[in-house]
Amino acid sequence: MAKAISFTIKYWKQNGPKDQGHFDTHEMKNIPDDTSFLEMLDILNEELIAAGQEPFVFDHDCREGICGMCSLYINGTPHGKTERGATTCQLYMRRFNEGDVITVEPWRSAGFPVIKDCMVDRSAFDKIIQAGGYTTIRTGQAQDANAILIPKEAADEAMDCATCIGCGACVAACKNGSAMLFVSSKVSQLALLPQGKPEAAKRAKAMVLRMDELGFGNCTNTRACEAVCPKNEKIANIARLNREFIKAKLAD
């Protein structure tokens, strides 16, 4: 049977990227501990609207840990998780204690300007993909997938890299705001497959260059990105990205 907890939520309010922003607080009473974190925020907004206050803006979509939209910094950790492999929408209030103060902030990065409150503009990731995260080779239809023989180990690793949902937790956790784990995962999923070879000589170079142009920092080698990734992407991908980048530079 679900228990009810009461706590204080401290949430970030900011009217756009040029606004200074501030924290507001609200007392949450008797919230069932089987409530998801986003459902709790829905309750918060219902109470704020009932009190004639402006609701708290946050991003979300699938609420199933698939899309990565629920990009919240909770109690100093992206997605606020206490275990690996979970997004904010998969976080439940049973993870918190009676009387806790829960602090909610947006992703903080030069590459992710705040739209409003905790909703940030992550279109920079789309621009990085447009720079090189694609293939031009004709691969046919789904039924043609087995026409190209690929070692199972390579296919499995490529699929693991492809599970990156582009949520940006790696950027939020990195003290330098680096997007290297995201970029390396997207480069790796193609570098491991024969379909990705035609653009291999330029893909890593183009995507890293675009990442730098968009304001993301360099890798800090602290593995903070790996520790918070909800899809458990590995920093071994960054090593592969570096190899692909060096090969592209040598090809020049």
Side-chain angles (χ1 to χ4, degrees):
M1 180 179 294
K3 297 186 296 183
I5 64 171
S6 298
F7 52 89
T8 300
I9 184 166
K10 190 177 175 182
Y11 57 97
W12 185 254
K13 295 291 292 180
Q14 183 174 346
N15 293 317
K18 296 183 179 180
D19 184 49
Q20 184 174 354
H22 64 278
F23 282 107
D24 280 349
T25 59
H26 189 82
E27 298 297 325
M28 303 294 292
K29 302 292 186 181
N30 300 318
I31 304 298
D33 66 359
D34 60 356
T35 303
S36 76
F37 198 86
L38 295 189
E39 288 172 334
M40 180 275 293
L41 293 180
D42 290 337
I43 296 171
L44 165 67
N45 277 339
E46 289 173 0
E47 293 182 1
L48 291 176
I49 292 170
Q53 300 179 42
E54 184 180 59
F56 167 61
V57 176
F58 61 97
D59 215 349
H60 64 95
D61 189 9
C62 73
R63 298 197 177 201
E64 294 179 347
I66 297 171
C67 71
M69 295 291 286
C70 50
S71 48
L72 295 177
Y73 208 83
I74 304 166
N75 285 349
T77 304
H79 294 300
K81 56 187 184 299
T82 55
E83 59 185 21
R84 296 291 300 277
T87 54
T88 297
C89 61
Q90 296 171 301
L91 179 67
Y92 284 81
M93 299 313 297
R94 68 177 70 97
R95 294 288 180 182
F96 301 93
N97 299 313
E98 177 76 19
D100 276 356
V101 176
I102 302 174
T103 303
V104 183
E105 302 172 73
W107 283 176
R108 298 193 184 277
S109 167
F112 295 151
V114 172
I115 297 174
K116 186 172 176 63
D117 300 346
C118 281
M119 179 183 285
V120 300
D121 181 357
R122 293 180 301 158
S123 62
F125 273 9
D126 296 328
K127 295 173 183 177
I128 292 172
I129 293 296
Q130 291 167 3
Y134 56 84
T135 63
T136 55
I137 187 173
R138 294 178 63 87
T139 57
Q141 303 300 315
Q143 64 268 25
D144 303 316
N146 293 328
I148 300 176
L149 298 180
I150 302 171
K152 185 178 186 306
E153 294 78 8
D156 287 346
E157 191 171 358
M159 183 60 72
D160 288 342
C161 296
T163 59
C164 168
I165 55 177
C167 67
C170 51
V171 176
C174 179
K175 62 183 180 183
N176 208 25
S178 175
M180 286 287 278
L181 189 64
F182 165 76
V183 175
S184 66
S185 296
K186 297 307 179 184
V187 167
S188 291
Q189 73 183 63
L190 297 174
L192 288 161
L193 300 175
Q195 294 93 329
K197 300 304 180 185
E199 290 80 28
K202 62 180 181 180
R203 177 180 294 111
K205 188 175 65 174
M207 293 177 72
V208 169
L209 176 62
R210 195 73 177 112
M211 177 187 73
D212 292 341
E213 291 173 349
L214 291 166
F216 296 102
N218 294 319
C219 178
T220 57
N221 294 311
T222 62
R223 303 182 72 171
C225 56
E226 184 183 60
V228 302
C229 177
K231 296 302 177 181
N232 299 320
E233 296 295 337
K234 305 298 183 184
I235 63 165
N237 295 341
I238 298 178
R240 182 180 294 107
L241 170 62
N242 290 335
R243 292 195 296 271
E244 292 291 315
F245 184 82
I246 291 171
K247 285 192 292 185
K249 297 295 284 186
L250 291 175
D252 287 343

